[in-house]
Amino acid sequence: MDQVSVPSLSAATIDRLVLGKRLRHFRSEAGLTLEQLGTRVGVVASQLSLIENGKREPKLTLIQAVARALDIDPGELLNTEAPDRRSELEIELERSQSTPGYEQLGLPRIRSPRALNDDTLEAVIGLHRELARRTRAAATTSEEARRANTSIRIKMQELDNYLPDIEQIASELMERIGHTVGAVTHRDVAILAEILGFTLIFVDDLPPNTRSITDLENGRIYLPPTSIPGGHGLRSLALQAMGHRVLGHSEPRSYAQFLEQRLQINYFAAACLLPEERAVEYLQQAKRERNLAIEDLRDAFGVTHEAAAHRFTNLATRHLDLRVHHYRTDGAGTLVRGYANDGLPFPEDEGGAIEGELLCAKWGGRTAFNRQNRTSEFYQFTDTPNGTYWTSVQTGDAELGPFAIACGVQFDDARWFRGRDTQVRKRSTCPDESCCRAAAPTLRERWEGKAWPSARMHQHVLSPLPTGTFPGVDDTSMYEFLSKHAPEV
């Protein structure tokens, strides 16, 4: 055999599985046993067996010796392709069984794929491929989450944001605890928890990525000691945690199911804090008096302004014959969430998602920030390509910065609301660029090409959304917390 050259490859770049399969393939073609080949190259058969099974990387000098003994070029052994279909399947099986996802299943590994016939091996590989596909589908990218969230928003728009089954469940539970008038108290919530078999425990060491933890084994719901000023948030958090049990939820199998469950428990909590019958009576009376106001609904039931605005959208179309819109923005005018069945033209991306889109600078959710005194409710009419809308806006400050909560109706329905006599009126032509996104010609001429802004980067642009059964929850932290607080047996 002529002298051959060995490619300049480091051992780290050698694919051990492929190399092992190619070595076995050419050894078999040469009609040699491991012992016979070992004798020719000066190593014991067990060493060659480890190489063929992909468990050891050979030195390049050994590769050269083996190639010489098999009368092939060393490059044939170092080729990155499997030598045949059978080897390709065996390699894929080895790799599939080495993934973290498979290891987490706790299933045994097939140690000797050569013992399987071709059809069985093909079937096993097919199952692994489907498992990998479903894992990828469940891994929540921002795009997948946005699609799921958009689908839910469209569904709720078709339902007028009203879920009668949850309304009925909440109504029956509030009757069981004897709540009839006024705001739902912390004591009311605690009594409801007891009826459902839970005790509310307030702790200051909840894992930072959880809002609450429910210990199903010991019947405990762990909550933070404080939340939104006034305790509104604590009542809602406790009710949301109970909502999973009441609504029969199981561990979500996808991010879409996780979002659906989150919507349902939020709806359940709101339906408990603002029971349908009494809330509707209150709103119908206010409508008769032409004095509907989100701030009054908020104060009457002792909830946050956003909870009152969202609850209003649940009941307005079904019980007041009003089509409505509701949204939240941050201080920069970025849309955080929104709902509309009155035709308000939210900005959307190509997939129909509205979250993260920039609202027109002339909408009430942005112009409300232009006031010096932001303590009072702000009212505005806005002319849009879809018609004229009246909106009531409440601004505030949170840990992440200023925000605005807006709720409103079409022009003709403004007559039922306090604030309908506002003189503030803006004209929006968005998505026309000339409305608010294109600078005035004089400004553009003065600065175009002469200024370079450094845009603020939002970290979530690069970060994947949290994955797992309960997205964003670290199992280790949660289980360590439960072990620490579980009652002694």
Side-chain angles (χ1 to χ4, degrees), residues 87-107:
S87 297
E88 181 181 350
L89 291 174
E90 291 179 359
I91 291 170
E92 185 173 353
L93 178 62
E94 288 292 328
R95 288 174 174 163
S96 296
Q97 293 183 134
S98 300
T99 61
Y102 185 78
E103 292 176 351
Q104 289 174 6
L105 295 176
L107 298 174

Side-chain angles (χ1 to χ4, degrees), residues 205-223:
D205 61 342
L206 275 173
N209 50 17
T210 61
R211 305 194 308 166
S212 68
I213 292 179
T214 302
D215 179 353
L216 298 173
E217 180 180 3
N218 297 294
R220 292 179 161 202
I221 296 176
Y222 296 98
L223 298 162

Side-chain angles (χ1 to χ4, degrees), residues 60-287:
L60 293 180
T61 53
L62 179 56
I63 292 177
Q64 184 179 30
V66 169
R68 188 182 303 113
L70 297 175
D71 196 24
I72 60 173
D73 189 284
E76 292 290 340
L77 291 175
L78 296 173
N79 191 305
T80 57
E81 296 182 0
D84 51 40
R85 174 60 176 167
R86 175 72 190 199
S87 297
E88 181 181 350
L89 291 174
E90 291 179 359
I91 291 170
E92 185 173 353
L93 178 62
E94 288 292 328
R95 288 174 174 163
S96 296
Q97 293 183 134
S98 300
T99 61
Y102 185 78
E103 292 176 351
Q104 289 174 6
L105 295 176
L107 298 174
R109 297 185 61 170
I110 298 174
R111 301 291 180 181
S112 302
R114 284 179 291 170
L116 304 176
N117 61 43
D118 288 355
D119 288 342
T120 302
L121 185 56
E122 289 274 10
V124 172
I125 290 297
L127 290 173
H128 275 284
R129 289 173 180 168
E130 178 62 15
L131 175 63
R133 185 195 68 78
R134 295 191 179 195
T135 300
R136 288 193 300 271
T140 43
T141 64
S142 58
E143 183 60 29
E144 289 165 355
R146 285 172 70 81
R147 283 199 298 267
N149 199 52
T150 299
S151 177
I152 291 173
R153 178 173 59 82
I154 293 174
K155 173 186 173 182
M156 293 305 295
Q157 180 176 308
E158 294 171 349
L159 296 173
D160 292 329
N161 221 27
Y162 181 78
L163 299 177
D165 291 344
I166 297 181
E167 295 283 1
Q168 182 66 28
I169 292 171
S171 177
E172 292 175 354
L173 286 174
M174 298 312 289
E175 288 180 5
R176 287 182 63 184
I177 67 172
H179 180 75
T180 56
V181 296
V184 175
T185 66
H186 287 273
R187 177 58 182 160
D188 291 330
V189 175
I191 292 173
L192 180 58
E194 293 174 5
I195 291 176
L196 297 175
F198 291 110
T199 300
L200 304 183
I201 307 293
F202 299 93
V203 295
D204 57 8
D205 61 342
L206 275 173
N209 50 17
T210 61
R211 305 194 308 166
S212 68
I213 292 179
T214 302
D215 179 353
L216 298 173
E217 180 180 3
N218 297 294
R220 292 179 161 202
I221 296 176
Y222 296 98
L223 298 162
T226 58
S227 184
I228 299 172
H232 307 312
L234 283 179
R235 291 177 300 155
S236 183
L237 285 179
L239 289 167
Q240 288 170 28
M242 288 182 260
H244 285 299
R245 166 70 67 85
V246 171
L247 301 176
H249 289 167
S250 58
E251 292 185 3
R253 298 180 179 178
S254 66
Y255 204 90
Q257 189 177 13
F258 169 80
L259 291 175
E260 182 75 26
Q261 290 182 359
R262 178 61 64 87
L263 179 147
Q264 291 177 0
I265 62 172
N266 285 340
Y267 194 109
F268 170 75
C272 288
L273 292 173
L274 297 90
E276 180 177 20
E277 183 178 355
R278 292 193 302 282
V280 169
E281 289 176 355
Y282 183 90
L283 291 172
Q284 288 177 339
Q285 179 61 35
K287 184 183 179 185

